[in-house]
Amino acid sequence: MTTVLLLAHPQFATSRVNRALLDGLDDSPGLEVADLYALYPDGQVDYTVERERILRAHRLVLQFPLYWYSTPPLLKHWQDVVLTPLFYGEPDIAASTRGLPLLVATTTGGPPASYRSDSLIGLSITELFAPLRATARRCGWLWQAPFAVHDVRNLDDAALARAARDYRSAVAATPTSRQTTGAAA
């Protein structure tokens, strides 16, 4: 079973937390990591390569830092370049991805309390990801509860190690088989 992890971090080399999360998955069987910013530094996403990546996935993970309550720009661009032609231009092929489990994993600079209804922004991580959830629903993919690591600038080594273990568990707990029937997102 292939777990495709799309990493979308513009400064991954300097990201202590995202590197630790990814390192925690190093020996995961069937893991295929696609570092979008390394693969496409010019922003020219290869539709054919990415289409094939999605078609071989049994589970999809999107890992990125939260950028102004959204995904980094290249991940949004990837959606436009890959999902639009796949789902609107090749619906029969796209249908083969129905039931693909999707896990969104993010890191934030703010503490957990920043992502509640009574906070300054007034939304939870789950609510912030409504567009991604809608995308999953439109694609017929199975939305999983998001994984988030908050307050990344203040994590000590022990907290970072716990976060990496929790992330590994969250990825492992995400289903790996597509379902031909059943509810999506």
Side-chain angles (χ1 to χ4, degrees):
M1 298 284 189
T2 302
T3 299
V4 170
L5 188 150
L6 299 181
L7 175 66
H9 195 308
Q11 289 95 30
F12 181 68
T14 61
S15 173
R16 176 177 166 255
V17 176
N18 275 274
R19 279 186 294 116
L21 293 177
L22 193 58
D23 287 349
L25 300 176
D26 261 354
D27 61 348
S28 298
L31 179 66
E32 176 185 333
V33 177
D35 180 344
L36 296 181
Y37 279 90
L39 290 169
Y40 305 113
D42 60 357
Q44 300 300 310
V45 175
D46 186 326
Y47 169 72
T48 303
V49 167
E50 297 305 319
R51 173 183 171 264
E52 292 308 310
R53 193 181 317 278
I54 293 301
L55 292 177
R56 72 175 162 267
H58 293 95
R59 162 172 54 200
L60 179 62
V61 178
L62 306 179
Q63 180 182 331
F64 57 88
L66 196 64
Y67 268 51
W68 278 101
Y69 314 113
S70 188
T71 65
L74 188 54
L75 184 53
K76 174 58 171 92
H77 182 61
W78 180 94
Q79 292 173 304
D80 294 340
V81 169
V82 178
L83 301 182
T84 301
L86 179 60
F87 283 87
Y88 290 100
E90 301 181 274
D92 292 339
I93 293 172
S96 71
T97 70
R98 184 160 188 72
L100 179 67
L102 173 65
L103 174 66
V104 173
T106 195
T107 55
T108 74
S114 297
Y115 300 94
R116 296 189 328 219
S117 60
D118 62 346
S119 70
L120 179 63
I121 64 165
L123 297 170
S124 69
I125 287 292
T126 300
E127 292 167 324
L128 284 171
F129 290 152
L132 289 173
R133 187 171 182 177
T135 297
R137 186 173 186 82
R138 165 57 185 91
C139 294
W141 297 348
L142 300 176
W143 179 258
Q144 307 300 301
F147 177 85
V149 178
H150 298 285
D151 204 16
V152 296
R153 290 175 203 87
N154 296 312
L155 291 181
D156 61 23
D157 291 343
L160 184 55
R162 272 192 310 278
R165 282 192 305 272
D166 292 348
Y167 184 42
R168 183 179 181 92
S169 294
V171 170
T174 300
T176 57
S177 60
R178 296 182 184 165
Q179 299 174 0
T180 56
T181 61

